[in-house]
Amino acid sequence: MSSTCRSSAPAWEIFCRVVDNFGDIGVCWRLARDLAGRTGAGVRLWVDDWAVLARICPPVAAIDPGRGGIVAGVELRHWAAPFPLVEPAGVVIEAFACDIPAEHLHTMARRQPAPVWINLEYLSAEDWVSGCHAMASPHPRLPLVKHFFFPGFDDGSGGLLRERGLLERRTAFHHDRAGRADWFASKGVAPEEGALCVSLFAYGQPDLPGLLRSWAEGPQRMHVFVPEGKVMADVERALGPIRLSAGGSVRMGELGVHVLPFTDQDGYDALLWACDLNFVRGEDSFVRAQWAGVPFVWQIYAQQDDAHFDKLDAFMASYASGLAEREADALARFWRAWNGRGKLADAWPAFAAALPVLRRHAAGWCDALAAQPDLVTRLTRFCSHIKALPG
């Protein structure tokens, strides 16, 4: 790692505002690393919240945000006011409509040729995505054109982030029984034969205490691994009065709860691979759970007027395609309950009974997604096409 930033303009630069939690920066850091590793070209990532970046990329903690630095081939810069005068990259990515600084837009407009300007949008399985993906939007005053790039699950979208070698590493982890046992041992756990291992990464979940009590009183031994985060207060309500911290464990009936320190992205992938069922949230962990190839439950980021349920239902309709009615209903009922529409303890037994089928289904879903070009492949092709256009 070096604390010196590149002076010349990189091929790519990404702008990221941390709106809430870790989803935005999680996606942008994965994208930046993948672009740097895949293309070998310079990549610059602008982030407004340096501390949040350091949570998922620990080497950042040693870097002066005023100077920036390079990690994993990516030039990291603190997005702060006043914005510095720097040469724009050949491709400028505005993540999730974060609004590139006006000073930089004007510099982009003076660059010849003008940079390719991409608005990387949020992930969705809704039908309208294919009609909006790759649309052009000329700037009202400057000689710049923004193109919208929508990640997605089919050929009408921009695909999903999947770095090279990811699935091979996951498969090797699954096949290495001793390595998986060592992973659990590093957390101070030795799961019993037949125990269900669950990761729990969630926003606040008011109905969680009832679900945890049902697990504690249920017929199967369970181990739940909870990374430090927002859901801890609900876990403590269920087990309390108690205070839990990283490294702590507590047993209640058939349920063991183990609190994990917040980890970097590679460590989180290993958690998903080690478990039999993963509760995930937002966008970044949602995609990584699909690459894990095991059953998962998605807590979507809540929007006003329950608009997020359209997005949730659109994905469930696609994901459940091919499932028998019983398993599809069990999945839909539990996922909706996890997102606040129903009682979790009531929906759990049918979902638990469906897990063997859902495991085979998750593996098949992962294989089908892996047969498609990934997001970086599609993005680089798209940007090359835009660069080749006249004018």
Side-chain angles (χ1 to χ4, degrees), residues 76-375:
L76 300 172
R77 299 291 299 271
H78 188 208
W79 181 359
F83 192 81
L85 180 64
V86 294
E87 182 70 17
V91 179
V92 180
I93 300 173
E94 175 184 278
F96 314 120
C98 64
D99 292 331
I100 292 172
E103 306 96 314
H104 202 61
L105 280 178
H106 284 280
T107 307
M108 288 165 57
R110 292 191 294 270
R111 188 185 190 274
Q112 293 297 326
V116 175
W117 179 13
I118 300 291
N119 181 9
L120 179 68
E121 283 285 356
Y122 288 102
L123 173 64
S124 178
E126 293 171 283
D127 291 341
W128 56 263
V129 165
S130 61
C132 296
H133 176 61
M135 285 186 63
S137 175
H139 192 279
R141 296 176 301 279
L142 300 175
L144 296 170
V145 178
K146 180 192 300 187
H147 288 85
F148 294 90
F149 199 88
F150 283 82
F153 305 92
D154 57 31
D155 291 334
S157 72
L160 301 175
L161 279 170
R162 184 182 78 249
E163 66 271 24
R164 287 177 176 171
L166 171 65
L167 300 185
E168 291 78 7
R169 294 194 304 274
R170 180 214 63 193
T171 299
F173 185 96
H174 283 167
H175 288 169
D176 183 4
R177 297 188 65 179
R180 186 169 182 260
D182 289 345
W183 186 92
F184 283 118
S186 72
K187 314 304 176 190
V189 181
E192 303 82 352
E193 185 71 27
L196 186 71
C197 294
V198 178
S199 76
L200 178 59
F201 184 52
Y203 306 121
Q205 183 55 267
D207 199 32
L208 183 61
L211 179 63
L212 293 187
R213 285 191 293 270
S214 74
W215 287 352
E217 298 165 1
Q220 185 174 21
R221 185 61 60 91
M222 296 183 65
H223 291 276
V224 178
F225 298 87
V226 188
E228 288 179 304
K230 292 194 170 187
V231 79
M232 284 301 304
D234 297 308
V235 174
E236 290 172 344
R237 278 197 302 119
L239 305 176
I242 192 172
R243 292 289 294 175
L244 293 171
S245 58
S249 294
V250 63
R251 166 72 65 183
M252 184 171 67
E254 294 299 310
L255 173 66
V257 175
H258 315 280
V259 181
L260 305 181
F262 200 90
T263 183
D264 62 10
Q265 290 183 324
D266 294 340
Y268 183 68
D269 281 336
L271 170 63
L272 296 176
W273 300 344
C275 289
D276 307 300
L277 172 64
N278 294 306
F279 288 77
V280 294
R281 71 186 203 191
E283 181 170 326
D284 183 52
S285 60
F286 169 52
V287 172
R288 302 310 278 194
Q290 291 172 69
W291 294 134
V294 298
F296 65 98
V297 181
W298 182 28
Q299 186 180 28
I300 191 169
Y301 190 81
Q303 295 175 290
Q304 289 186 341
D305 302 321
D306 286 345
H308 55 290
F309 276 100
D310 290 340
K311 192 173 179 178
L312 179 70
D313 289 342
F315 178 75
M316 283 197 299
S318 178
Y319 182 72
S321 177
L323 280 173
E325 183 176 357
R326 177 183 299 179
E327 285 76 21
D329 287 347
L331 182 142
R333 186 183 177 206
F334 190 76
W335 278 36
R336 290 195 180 105
W338 189 246
N339 285 279
R341 289 188 172 177
K343 300 296 292 181
L344 289 169
D346 293 342
W348 170 253
F351 185 77
L355 282 176
V357 173
L358 293 178
R359 185 174 185 90
R360 294 191 295 272
H361 181 76
W365 173 263
C366 178
D367 289 344
L369 291 179
Q372 302 177 22
D374 63 274
L375 187 144

Side-chain angles (χ1 to χ4, degrees), residues 19 27 31 80 101 153 176 233 269 320 327 385-386:
V19 177
V27 170
L31 174 60
F153 305 92
D176 183 4
D269 281 336
E327 285 76 21
H385 169 71
I386 297 301

